[in-house]
Amino acid sequence: MKKLAVIISSILLSSAATAADSYNSISHVGYKDADGNDIISADTAYYFSPRETLGPYDQFAYLEQITNVYAKYLDDDFGDKLALGGEYYIKDFVFGAGYTNYDSDVASSIDQFNVSAGYFFNPNVLLKATFYDIEDNENQVMFDLVYNHELNSTDYIGFTLTSDDEFDYRAVNAKYFMDLQQGNYLTVEGTISDTDGVGSSWELGSNYYFSKATSAFVTFNKNDDYSFGAQHFFNKNIGLKAGYANNWDDSDYDAYFANVSLQF
């Protein structure tokens, strides 16, 4: 009986150690000094069902079905931007709506409205269309095809294909999440896009997690812009991310940034 009690206790302790953390509210407040341009940003999202982590406090499933509302704000030396919106999931469908206001210091204010609708062919495949009504500009329709390939209970490779209705703009985003065991994790994410008459671009980034609370990151893109830094969560609710960015060919461009995460 004593041996059985020890075995049960070990199982319970193991389950508690690997149990996922969950959040209903995720917010960020950030500051960036980009070559003399001060940028202040803030965003918040509320989820009507808990979002469960995959280990690290800031890593979640690539494709989720959780009704939410959100708000975003950005202010720099050239103007400010405010965005509000939400998504509603019901059975195999998702419906969304949003509003964005661009208030420029050198031009007139622009309002943008968007509505979207999507269908889940299965929990890992989503097709979504979004209609954008942009003030004093042509309306636009964008399509997203999202696929999540589950490698095991935690690891995945996710893909998002994006295009406009005339196929003038095309983009592919891919993300790989891997549990390295022993409390270490790795993400690799890249985006390639191409626009007729403009050209192509790409960006690649990676995060290495020393634990679910502490990580280091690096990014690089086609224009030789790069960034690196680190993030640490002091507990499951509060985290701090800080980093440095520059351009490989133009080292006069300096950017320092910091971001506070609030998750409850």
Side-chain angles (χ1 to χ4, degrees):
M1 182 65 71
K2 184 175 181 181
K3 183 179 291 187
L4 179 60
V6 171
I7 293 173
I8 294 174
S9 177
S10 298
I11 293 174
L12 291 175
L13 288 174
S14 176
S15 299
T18 58
D21 296 285
S22 62
Y23 303 98
N24 284 94
S25 173
I26 299 177
S27 305
H28 305 93
V29 178
Y31 171 77
K32 183 175 183 179
D33 181 359
D35 197 21
N37 180 21
D38 294 325
I39 304 171
I40 298 173
S41 62
D43 64 79
T44 185
Y46 180 79
Y47 299 87
F48 291 85
S49 297
R51 293 186 76 190
E52 292 190 349
T53 66
L54 296 177
Y57 290 130
D58 66 341
Q59 289 297 319
F60 306 89
Y62 189 76
L63 187 56
E64 297 180 310
Q65 294 177 257
I66 304 176
T67 298
N68 64 84
V69 292
Y70 65 84
K72 302 178 181 180
Y73 178 76
L74 184 144
D75 179 84
D76 64 13
D77 294 344
F78 305 100
D80 56 64
K81 174 182 175 181
L82 173 66
L84 305 169
E87 294 176 309
Y88 177 66
Y89 292 81
I90 178 170
K91 295 185 177 180
D92 295 328
F93 294 90
V94 56
F95 301 96
Y99 165 76
T100 304
N101 174 262
Y102 304 90
D103 188 6
S104 172
D105 292 340
V106 296
S108 58
S109 175
I110 298 176
D111 291 320
Q112 173 184 292
F113 298 90
N114 66 271
V115 292
S116 62
Y119 177 75
F120 285 86
F121 293 92
N122 61 55
N124 290 316
V125 180
L126 168 66
L127 178 62
K128 183 173 70 172
T130 305
F131 172 78
Y132 294 91
D133 181 2
I134 307 171
E135 183 180 6
D136 299 328
N137 210 326
E138 292 185 6
N139 297 333
Q140 191 175 35
V141 178
M142 301 294 292
F143 295 96
D144 293 290
L145 178 62
V146 186
Y147 171 63
N148 176 52
H149 180 67
E150 297 179 345
L151 300 174
N152 52 49
S153 60
T154 57
D155 300 5
Y156 68 78
I157 302 177
F159 299 92
T160 300
L161 308 179
T162 302
S163 172
D164 63 4
D165 55 341
E166 297 183 352
F167 210 60
D168 293 329
Y169 171 80
R170 304 158 296 275
V172 179
N173 170 267
K175 182 177 179 180
Y176 174 50
F177 175 85
M178 182 179 184
D179 184 348
L180 300 173
Q181 308 300 319
Q182 307 301 319
N184 306 124
Y185 307 86
L186 176 70
T187 70
V188 180
E189 185 169 6
T191 300
I192 301 175
S193 63
D194 184 73
T195 305
D196 290 349
V198 177
S200 62
S201 64
W202 58 264
E203 183 171 4
L204 183 66
S206 180
N207 292 270
Y208 179 81
Y209 291 83
F210 303 95
S211 69
K212 66 180 185 179
T214 305
S215 61
F217 66 87
V218 61
T219 67
F220 194 76
N221 67 20
K222 182 181 179 180
N223 298 323
D224 292 333
D225 299 319
Y226 65 88
S227 70
F228 60 86
Q231 177 175 253
H232 177 69
F233 277 81
F234 303 99
N235 52 49
K236 65 171 290 185
N237 303 118
I238 302 174
L240 175 63
K241 182 178 183 178
Y244 171 78
N246 208 325
N247 183 275
W248 199 266
D249 296 325
D250 181 11
S251 59
D252 290 336
Y253 171 84
D254 281 307
Y256 301 89
F257 56 91
N259 187 291
V260 175
S261 298
L262 304 171
Q263 304 185 175
F264 299 93

